[in-house]
Amino acid sequence: MTRFHGQWSSAITIPPDATIACSDRRSPLLYSAARAESLFQRVLEDAYVDIRTAEQKLELDHLDPKEALERLVRFTWKHYLDNPEFLTMVNSENLHNARHLKKSKVVQDISRRLVTMVDTLLERGAKQGVFRDGVAPVQLNITIAAIGYYYFTNRFTGAIIYERDLMSREALDTRLQFNIDTIMRLVSK
């Protein structure tokens, strides 16, 4: 994932008609907000390409359906844990009504692959009698993302409310197992 000094959301906080002037005595440089918008869209696309490409490399088709689903849940959790800037960018994009993603064919195309991959996994599990019929892949993807996303984006307030360090190794391991159990109960017969 490309990193720009950890300042993912700053690119979109500039009003669309604003410009930022930076100069030295020899040559003034002018950066438009449009360039910042374009840069943010590219970084956001790269972040989604990174996670979707990594998901495809999990090779879930070669695993038992339950093992494959657990691997996907573990991967999603670890990706969020290792890439907090991804969650920050998603937060920023949601605050701006997905204005960059609406323009991105790249993200639409690559995200369809995830839905197809999960749909195939669910169908295999249903045929083998380990998953319920009719589990919607989009709904399952949203749930897998949500149970990790919420935990990490609310870790600071949650630590105060629940009076514990949500980022301790023990707390992270406990929560990951809870997430896996929750997803398995959701889809299992």
Side-chain angles (χ1 to χ4, degrees), residues 5-184:
H5 309 292
Q7 299 299 318
W8 295 108
S9 62
S10 64
I12 64 168
T13 59
I14 302 166
D17 58 344
T19 59
I20 302 168
C22 300
S23 65
D24 61 23
R25 292 183 180 172
R26 292 170 287 179
S27 63
L29 300 172
L30 188 64
Y31 295 96
S32 70
R35 287 185 188 152
E37 292 285 322
S38 178
L39 175 62
F40 183 80
Q41 180 171 336
R42 179 58 193 265
V43 171
L44 186 63
E45 287 174 340
D46 287 349
Y48 273 99
V49 167
D50 285 349
I51 190 172
R52 297 299 172 242
T53 300
E55 287 161 344
Q56 294 298 315
K57 290 179 181 177
L58 294 174
E59 299 182 2
L60 302 181
D61 291 339
H62 304 292
L63 300 173
D64 167 79
K66 284 189 172 186
E67 185 182 346
L69 185 54
E70 180 176 331
R71 183 178 283 187
L72 180 61
V73 173
R74 284 183 183 280
F75 168 81
T76 303
W77 177 262
K78 184 164 177 14
H79 187 80
Y80 291 173
L81 179 62
D82 294 344
N83 298 281
E85 67 281 351
F86 176 72
L87 300 178
T88 300
M89 288 187 344
V90 171
N91 281 339
S92 291
E93 186 65 357
N94 276 304
L95 288 172
H96 292 86
N97 300 312
R99 75 173 178 227
H100 301 92
L101 288 182
K102 287 175 185 174
K103 298 182 254 180
S104 176
K105 180 133 175 60
V106 171
V107 172
Q108 290 174 357
D109 290 344
I110 200 160
S111 295
R112 285 186 193 112
R113 291 185 215 157
L114 172 65
V115 174
T116 300
M117 181 177 76
V118 172
D119 190 37
T120 301
L121 170 59
L122 289 169
E123 287 176 5
R124 278 194 310 117
K127 284 180 186 172
Q128 292 179 20
V130 295
F131 292 162
R132 295 183 297 110
D133 286 322
V135 176
V138 170
Q139 294 303 323
L140 183 60
N141 284 327
I142 291 170
T143 302
I144 291 169
I147 60 179
Y149 179 88
Y150 183 87
Y151 187 91
F152 289 121
T153 58
N154 292 282
R155 66 189 178 275
F156 300 113
T157 54
I160 302 302
I161 292 166
Y162 300 115
E163 300 177 344
R164 64 192 66 199
D165 179 2
L166 296 179
M167 297 304 286
S168 73
R169 175 55 37 210
E170 181 183 0
L172 292 169
D173 291 345
T174 299
R175 183 60 199 195
L176 174 57
Q177 190 57 55
F178 183 88
N179 291 356
I180 292 166
D181 293 346
T182 298
I183 294 299
M184 290 303 175

